[in-house]
Amino acid sequence: MKKILAVLLLLCTVLAFVACANKDQTPDGMKDVAIEGADYHLYVPEAWIPTNTAGLSGAHAGGGDKPFSPNVIVTVYYPDGVTTLAAYFKDVVKPELDLTFAELVPVENEKAVTMGGKDALLYTYTYTLGGTAYKQMQVIVGNGSCIYTLAYTATANLYDTYIEEVNRIIAEFTFK
């Protein structure tokens, strides 16, 4: 009887170690650059450089000497009342974009996608700032009472170079 109990105890101990050993769900070849305390994981390719500033999670694809290299950033919005993702874009995001960028040109409006296992909306547009042409994609998703925006920004000539990596970042984004 003691041998059976000892074997069962050993088996339970081994199972406990195995169950705890795989807590890290980071996808292969990626790292989590979400700020401390974020309620989501922002996985980016290992080569990308974290740029978490001012309480925002983000990373960029270029070296430290390239401040305007292709980048992703996640922002969180806390709406006062109930709003849809489309209304949030139309009433909050779009007016800010129009004020900031005089030459804003929509490329893709309101494409249904998923991010973090939830329904999301994707918007893509181009603009010129300081004589440089940029292209930006925003994926907007709701979780609980918050609205999250993952923005990918790159110069127009580099946008397509990193789009596959960004699509993987979006696919691997998860809420805690």
Side-chain angles (χ1 to χ4, degrees), residues 47-65:
W48 284 47
I49 300 163
T51 53
N52 297 338
T53 58
L56 301 174
S57 302
H60 65 95
D65 61 337

Side-chain angles (χ1 to χ4, degrees), residues 89-109 123-130 132-138 140 151-154 159:
F89 183 82
K90 178 182 167 260
D91 298 337
V92 178
V93 176
K94 184 75 166 72
E96 285 295 320
L97 292 170
D98 288 337
L99 280 174
T100 307
F101 309 114
E103 299 176 30
L104 188 71
V105 178
V107 174
E108 188 162 26
N109 283 319
Y123 298 87
T124 307
Y125 41 87
T126 60
Y127 58 88
T128 302
L129 183 64
T132 303
Y134 290 91
K135 189 170 182 180
Q136 185 175 83
M137 172 196 342
Q138 291 191 3
I140 301 171
Y152 165 52
T153 308
Y159 184 90

